[in-house]
Amino acid sequence: MIFNRYTTYRPGLFARLLPSGRWKLRLPTATTASVELHTGTRAKLRCLDITAIGIKKALLWHTVEIRTCSHVETLSCLGEDAATRLATDLHRFINRYLLELIRSDQEVLKEVDAKLEPLIEGKRQYLAQADLAQAIASVSGPAAAALSHPLFDADGLTAAMEADLPRSLFFLTDPDRRHQYNNEFVATELTRYAPFFDDLDGRSLSDQQRESCIRLEDSNLLIASAGSGKSATMVGKVAYVLDKGLYQPEEILVLAYNRAAAEELRERIAQQLGVQPADLQCKVTTFHALGRGIIELVEARPPQLANWVDHPTGEARVIAKIIEDLMQSDAGFAKVWIDLLVLYPQADIPASVFDSDADYNRYISARRRGGDASIGAFGGIYVRSLQEQTIANWLWLNTVEFQYERQIDTEDEDGTIRYVHPDFYYPASNTIHEHLAIDSAGSSPFANYVEHADSKLAAYNRAELDVFTTKSAQANDGTLLLQLEAELAKREIQFHQRSLEEILKAVEPVVIKHFQKLIAICIKHIRAGDLTLEMLLVRANSLHDKKRAKAFAQAIWKITEAYSKKLIDDKRIDFDAMIANATRLVEEARYKSPYSLILVDEFQDISDSRANLIKALKHQKPFSKIFAVGDDWQSIYRFAGSDISIFTQFEENFGASWQGRLETTYRCNQVIADAAANFIQRNPAQLRKAVRSARPAIARSIRAIPITGEQGKPDFGKASLRLLDRLDRFLGGIASQWRTSSAARLKVMVLWRYNLLDPFAGGLPRFENIEVSGLSFHRAKGLEADYTILLDVSEGEYGVPSRIEDDELLNLVMPQPETFEYAEERRLFYVALTRASRGVFLLMNDRQPSRYIHELANIAGGNFRLETIDGEALPQCPTCHVGHVTERKSKTGDRFMGCTQYPDCSYTAQLGVR
């Protein structure tokens, strides 16, 4: 709204009641040197001090970040349109002031021209906007300060002003001219530095790697492929800028995600530069070590980290202990936690959300019985819907005797005897309980369901049976179990809750671990985003399973409070708090960054807190640059706080950038490379790449092996050992084709989604021709082998994809959730798939092959082979591609050829035809 001489921006009326909504920004209608910000006290922000304006999506609203030389102002509680309008108007206001300064001192532009001309002539260096600004900043006066300001936008220059500009300033006013110069510079530099790149880090860099080393915009993102040499490119980047004299070694910061990766990069950079790693002046470190060092330098003592943070399972143990203590001390928490474990292990998501009935059936089913999807409940009961599972589990929890789908005979109106199977029968009161898939409008997603239900209930009434019903509508509004309890109490059916010991003994350990993993993620987001219980409960109303989401919100809030209190009581901080504290010291300019070039490895795993630290470092030191390297196809650490949108929306987070690609893989042969690339890019949110392999294609290098087992439980450990023995014997027979020395052995990695599949608890087996290792999919990232064996690539709660990992509860705390089904699970499978250079073996449950195997069969075509564990080819079903055709027998005794995946696949052929 405009009041006299100002335009005022502030949150809506309701948002002003919140602590983060108590602010007001006023922009004068006239061009002035500052703007007014009220956050309890009135402050003036000088236009020249504002270095960046950004918009962030928070949990319930958007936030405008205003970065100055000494701090960051956060204007929260805005809708998307309001935030965009504020950011745009503030940028325009500042730019009007900058243009006024330029207009006031035209003479100084000649001095600026004298500084820029030597840079441009002779194509001696790449010219980013920051390079031009740095040269201009060496000229004194307000006009030069305006021209070098990071928010200066030349679009506001008038034709008259442009006519008076010296020649070199057209690089500022015409982006195309600068881009053309840089393209010509890169072409020249590629020739000039060809010998340098021909032998770098022990190899000859590819054309894409060389260009990535030379390009140096203010912000740079290198989008790599698996096995494409990104580490070599980072080494090359450091070596190149030092050889050019663009930076001093102490101005370069290289950030890695763990100590091992940092150590490897340090050794490779030192070796390339011809110095000892201990003598390397470039800073090569982890985010954690950097944060610790910043705090120690400013506060003259190291941060007091909690004693559990350095242990790989420390956080999980602390969370488990917090839950255990809350269970003993807080009856309300104990009830909510038990409800989550027993009643709500999985979200009740409507079938309409899924792309197909098959996808929905996969989501709800625990195993197959005949052609029906079934869901396991406590007490060994299998039911047909998640709502029935909730009912059955509540009855088990409260020790209520019942029978599921007991056969009862009823009489139709014409006297015909009809046998029905009511959902639940309670022998204590001879009561029938039907749970009806009927919503609040009285309709059902199933054809003729309502009419059938009415007919069934009428038959019960004619037989004068005691009947009560519950409906899906009650599950949706959260009253289902209240209604159930009331109906049982009315019939004087006794119920009492089982002991905690009995409950925890019955709950599968993986369910508890799943919730603990969710809790660890949520604690990070709640603490980093200053979220409140009210905010979580509001967000819970937007999820499909509101009852479950609200229960989890209550539980996670109490756990987070206890976690935060433990840190306070212990006078300790965790890693996230340490990075946040380090970021604050940088933003407040209490830490002076020496780094002009920041390189970040594994950028696809960046978290919001780490991204904020990078932004703070980049904006605090003028004219500094960032070079981020990663592969969004391999972003698999959401449980550790990573946010893939920071990578895929790089420019929104770090400003205009150059984005390059490394599309040559030196690991996978072309068959695996093509199949894996097509597989991962079925998610349209993943960035596009055209992967080429330096290794020729190997026919049929993707092989699927169905494994049978008693009661539908194959022994994948035993199967993997048989396959390893077969592979060892085969490679021994062709040793002359690969063996380079008598001691040489090929590497084989056995990989699994969950550690409970680890077949090597007794130690790794030894073979003559192969060297075996075993790892989880996650731990295999960054490693490679000649062959890989992937265990249990099957459908299931804990299969591939794991149905418990893409839990909608994450949407309680994540502002930008992924919408593609099992997006992270797809990336994780891509990681596992791309570890091998020669071949991949996929061991699957013969009754429940993973949907991913079906996709690969379609993608790879003739290069996908279905075979037995001993290597015999199986006749692949031409319809589903994952089953094999075998002789079958109909109910009438006729013999025919059919697919082993029946009833999911109905392919049949005459006997003898395949």
Side-chain angles (χ1 to χ4, degrees):
M1 299 176 62
I2 298 178
F3 296 96
N4 300 325
R5 296 171 295 121
Y6 295 95
T7 303
T8 302
Y9 303 82
R10 64 193 311 180
L13 189 60
F14 171 75
R16 292 177 214 165
L17 301 175
L18 302 172
S20 55
R22 295 169 189 164
W23 60 266
K24 177 172 63 178
L25 182 76
R26 299 208 303 176
L27 297 184
T29 53
T31 302
T32 61
S34 61
V35 301
E36 284 187 15
L37 177 63
H38 299 256
T39 56
T41 58
R42 178 181 171 187
K44 285 186 177 291
L45 300 178
R46 293 180 66 242
C47 292
L48 288 176
D49 290 340
I50 298 174
T51 58
I53 304 167
I55 299 174
K56 289 183 64 176
K57 173 73 170 70
L59 188 65
L60 299 177
W61 43 65
H62 286 69
T63 297
V64 174
E65 285 186 345
I66 304 174
R67 291 185 179 268
T68 74
C69 302
S70 60
H71 66 289
V72 177
E73 297 287 357
T74 303
L75 310 185
S76 190
C77 300
L78 294 169
E80 183 176 5
D81 291 343
T84 302
R85 184 169 61 252
L86 170 53
T88 301
D89 290 352
L90 178 58
H91 194 177
R92 286 174 179 166
F93 178 86
I94 293 171
N95 210 53
R96 281 206 312 271
Y97 174 70
L98 298 177
L99 290 169
E100 191 67 34
L101 293 180
I102 296 169
R103 195 178 292 115
S104 68
D105 191 5
Q106 293 280 306
E107 281 300 311
V108 80
L109 298 184
K110 295 177 182 177
E111 294 182 55
V112 171
D113 183 59
K115 292 288 184 180
L116 293 182
E117 194 67 34
L119 294 179
I120 297 166
E121 290 298 322
K123 294 185 174 57
R124 290 188 294 181
Q125 74 172 78
Y126 193 91
L127 291 180
Q129 201 72 23
D131 298 312
L132 300 174
Q134 189 169 15
I136 296 168
S138 64
V139 176
S140 61
L147 279 170
S148 63
H149 195 278
L151 294 179
F152 170 65
D153 184 354
D155 284 347
L157 290 170
T158 64
M161 291 176 67
E162 285 201 54
D164 293 334
L165 291 178
R167 186 175 70 90
S168 66
L169 264 68
F170 283 105
F171 269 61
L172 288 172
T173 61
D174 185 357
D176 289 340
R177 185 169 295 195
R178 184 174 67 84
H179 294 325
Q180 181 182 347
Y181 164 88
N182 282 330
N183 289 338
E184 292 171 355
F185 170 80
V186 169
T188 301
E189 197 77 344
L190 284 171
T191 301
R192 185 185 298 155
Y193 265 77
F196 181 84
F197 291 124
D198 283 344
D199 183 16
L200 196 149
D201 195 38
R203 69 203 71 197
S204 175
L205 298 192
S206 70
D207 290 344
Q208 288 184 326
Q209 288 176 306
R210 296 175 190 222
E211 181 178 0
S212 301
C213 293
I214 296 168
R215 294 274 182 186
L216 203 58
E217 288 290 343
D218 297 350
S219 297
N220 307 266
L221 178 66
L222 182 58
I223 304 166
S225 302
S228 60
K230 62 182 180 60
S231 296
T233 307
M234 294 186 73
V235 174
K237 188 80 167 182
V238 173
Y240 170 76
V241 298
L242 290 176
D243 189 80
K244 289 282 291 184
L246 300 176
Y247 299 97
Q248 295 301 309
E250 58 272 15
E251 293 181 293
I252 298 174
L253 171 65
V254 181
L255 287 168
Y257 267 76
N258 56 56
R259 293 174 188 169
E263 188 61 36
E264 181 187 351
L265 279 171
R266 185 183 298 110
E267 289 178 359
R268 289 171 68 170
I269 291 171
Q271 183 176 9
Q272 178 61 37
L273 299 180
V275 299
Q276 292 297 315
D279 298 328
L280 185 65
Q281 292 178 287
C282 303
K283 183 78 168 178
V284 185
T285 188
T286 64
F287 278 92
H288 294 151
L290 176 67
R292 182 186 285 111
I294 289 172
I295 293 171
E296 186 169 3
L297 185 66
V298 174
E299 299 182 348
R301 65 183 182 90
Q304 301 302 298
L305 282 167
N307 58 9
W308 69 78
V309 297
D310 268 325
H311 195 281
T313 61
E315 183 181 59
R317 287 208 304 265
V318 167
I319 291 172
K321 183 64 166 62
I322 287 173
I323 292 171
E324 181 184 338
D325 291 345
L326 286 171
M327 290 285 287
Q328 300 298 326
S329 63
D330 188 329
F333 174 85
K335 182 183 185 310
V336 170
W337 182 243
I338 289 171
D339 284 352
L340 285 167
L341 294 180
V342 177
L343 305 180
Y344 310 117
Q346 189 175 5
D348 181 14
I349 299 178
S352 59
V353 173
F354 294 84
D355 293 335
S356 67
D357 290 342
D359 283 344
Y360 178 66
N361 284 335
R362 287 192 188 106
Y363 176 74
I364 67 170
S365 67
R367 66 181 58 173
R368 297 277 182 173
R369 295 189 303 173
D372 298 326
S374 61
I375 305 168
F378 286 91
I381 302 297
Y382 286 87
V383 296
R384 298 180 186 276
S385 74
L386 289 170
Q387 291 171 12
E388 287 186 348
Q389 181 195 48
T390 300
I391 293 170
N393 285 347
W394 187 92
L395 295 171
W396 175 87
L397 178 64
N398 291 285
T399 329
V400 176
E401 184 183 355
F402 71 96
Q403 296 172 16
Y404 182 72
E405 292 192 341
R406 170 184 172 173
Q407 181 172 293
I408 292 178
D409 57 295
T410 60
E411 188 175 304
D412 286 343
E413 292 181 356
D414 60 2
T416 304
I417 298 298
R418 180 159 61 115
Y419 296 99
V420 295
H421 299 82
D423 296 327
F424 300 92
Y425 170 74
Y426 305 105
S429 60
N430 196 28
T431 300
I432 290 170
H433 169 197
E434 290 283 8
H435 180 67
L436 306 176
I438 296 176
D439 61 22
S440 57
S443 60
S444 173
F446 308 111
N448 304 318
Y449 183 90
V450 176
E451 293 81 359
H452 176 72
D454 288 343
S455 172
K456 199 174 184 181
L457 294 174
Y460 293 150
N461 288 333
R462 284 193 298 273
E464 298 183 347
L465 298 173
D466 179 35
V467 180
F468 73 87
T469 63
T470 53
K471 299 178 180 179
S472 293
Q474 294 168 310
N476 295 334
D477 65 22
T479 62
L480 171 63
L481 297 179
L482 294 174
Q483 171 75 10
L484 174 61
E485 186 173 347
E487 292 287 356
L488 296 179
K490 189 190 302 181
R491 291 161 175 80
E492 298 183 349
I493 294 178
Q494 299 299 310
F495 44 86
H496 62 275
Q497 185 168 299
R498 296 177 187 269
S499 69
L500 179 59
E501 182 181 6
E502 186 179 1
I503 293 167
L504 294 180
K505 185 177 180 180
V507 175
E508 290 184 85
V510 284
V511 172
I512 297 174
K513 288 182 180 178
H514 169 60
F515 275 114
Q516 288 178 346
K517 188 181 286 189
L518 283 174
I519 288 164
I521 302 172
C522 291
I523 286 174
K524 296 176 190 297
H525 285 281
I526 290 170
R527 284 167 51 81
D530 294 323
L531 307 184
T532 65
L533 176 58
E534 290 71 24
M535 293 165 67
L536 298 178
L537 291 174
V538 168
R539 189 61 177 253
N541 278 322
S542 68
L543 303 190
H544 293 107
D545 195 334
K546 297 176 178 57
K547 177 75 173 178
R548 179 175 183 259
K550 289 177 180 177
F552 184 77
Q554 297 280 357
I556 187 57
W557 180 251
K558 289 191 175 183
I559 293 169
T560 303
E561 281 188 318
Y563 181 92
S564 298
K565 183 177 184 300
K566 177 172 176 56
L567 288 172
I568 293 170
D569 291 347
D570 293 349
K571 295 184 171 62
R572 293 289 189 268
I573 60 174
D574 60 8
F575 275 143
D576 295 313
M578 182 178 70
I579 290 178
N581 291 348
T583 301
R584 177 175 48 80
L585 294 176
V586 176
E587 290 174 341
E588 293 173 355
R590 294 172 63 189
Y591 171 80
K592 299 293 185 182
S593 172
Y595 306 117
S596 297
L597 177 61
I598 303 169
L599 294 87
V600 188
D601 191 19
E602 303 286 5
F603 194 75
Q604 75 278 350
D605 295 326
I606 195 77
S607 64
D608 196 52
S609 61
R610 289 170 174 174
N612 287 337
L613 178 55
I614 295 169
K615 291 177 188 177
L617 291 168
K618 183 178 186 298
H619 289 293
Q620 195 229 57
K621 185 172 185 185
F623 320 120
S624 58
K625 300 179 180 182
I626 176 176
F627 180 74
V629 185
D631 180 5
D632 65 298
W633 295 2
Q634 298 188 74
S635 177
I636 59 172
Y637 289 111
R638 182 172 58 175
F639 65 83
S642 72
D643 182 352
I644 192 175
S645 68
I646 300 173
F647 186 106
T648 56
Q649 299 170 27
F650 185 78
E651 290 207 345
E652 288 89 330
N653 284 283
F654 293 93
S657 66
W658 173 79
Q659 295 189 14
R661 280 163 169 72
L662 296 184
E663 295 173 310
T664 299
T665 177
Y666 299 94
R667 180 188 303 146
C668 307
N669 74 70
Q670 193 66 58
V671 166
I672 297 175
D674 285 343
N678 284 316
F679 169 80
I680 195 67
Q681 290 181 107
R682 291 200 170 187
N683 179 354
Q686 305 289 171
L687 301 179
R688 306 290 97 182
K689 291 196 289 284
V691 182
R692 300 175 298 274
S693 177
R695 295 174 177 267
I698 299 176
R700 298 182 297 283
S701 49
I702 301 175
R703 302 182 175 216
I705 302 174
I707 307 296
T708 59
E710 294 182 7
Q711 299 180 334
K713 294 183 178 180
D715 187 337
F716 288 104
K718 182 178 178 181
S720 67
L721 290 172
R722 283 184 62 186
L723 181 54
L724 287 169
D725 184 65
R726 165 194 152 192
L727 194 55
D728 181 65
R729 285 185 281 107
F730 167 74
L731 292 173
I734 60 166
S736 60
Q737 299 179 25
W738 59 268
R739 179 160 280 150
T740 55
S741 69
S742 59
R745 291 188 294 171
L746 294 182
K747 293 182 179 180
V748 180
M749 281 200 296
V750 181
L751 304 177
W752 49 79
R753 177 63 185 86
Y754 286 98
N755 285 327
L756 55 86
L757 279 172
D758 182 357
F760 304 132
L764 292 171
R766 294 188 61 81
F767 295 94
E768 183 180 350
N769 301 295
I770 58 177
E771 178 185 335
V772 181
S773 61
L775 296 163
S776 68
F777 287 1
H778 279 99
R779 290 186 61 201
K781 184 172 177 291
L783 304 178
E784 58 186 63
D786 296 286
Y787 295 92
T788 56
I789 299 171
L790 278 54
L791 303 185
D792 199 7
V793 187
S794 315
E795 288 295 323
E797 290 288 293
Y798 309 101
V800 178
S802 169
R803 298 190 200 133
I804 66 171
E805 295 302 320
D806 263 19
D807 200 309
E808 70 164 2
L809 290 176
L810 287 173
N811 297 347
L812 283 173
V813 297
M814 298 188 76
Q816 295 179 312
E818 294 186 84
T819 57
F820 193 79
E821 187 180 33
Y822 301 115
E824 181 141 328
E825 284 293 300
R826 180 173 290 267
R827 292 193 293 270
L828 183 58
F829 186 65
Y830 169 82
V831 167
L833 198 62
T834 53
R835 298 308 93 193
S837 62
R838 293 169 175 258
V840 181
F841 295 90
L842 309 168
L843 272 55
M844 63 185 185
N845 186 323
D846 71 322
R847 295 299 302 132
Q848 291 181 287
S850 167
R851 69 195 73 183
Y852 290 167
I853 292 183
H854 180 79
E855 287 187 39
L856 286 174
N858 287 323
I859 290 169
N863 283 310
F864 176 91
R865 174 181 163 97
L866 196 66
E867 66 182 29
T868 69
I869 194 69
D870 297 316
E872 181 183 349
L874 290 169
Q876 195 171 340
C877 173
T879 300
C880 73
H881 305 295
V882 295
H884 58 277
V885 179
T886 187
E887 188 174 308
R888 301 180 64 87
K889 188 177 181 180
S890 70
K891 292 180 180 179
T892 60
D894 296 331
R895 307 189 75 81
F896 65 97
M897 302 301 293
C899 179
T900 55
Q901 292 304 302
Y902 177 83
D904 290 330
C905 177
S906 56
Y907 173 81
T908 60
Q910 293 180 358
L911 198 64
V913 177
R914 291 182 176 177

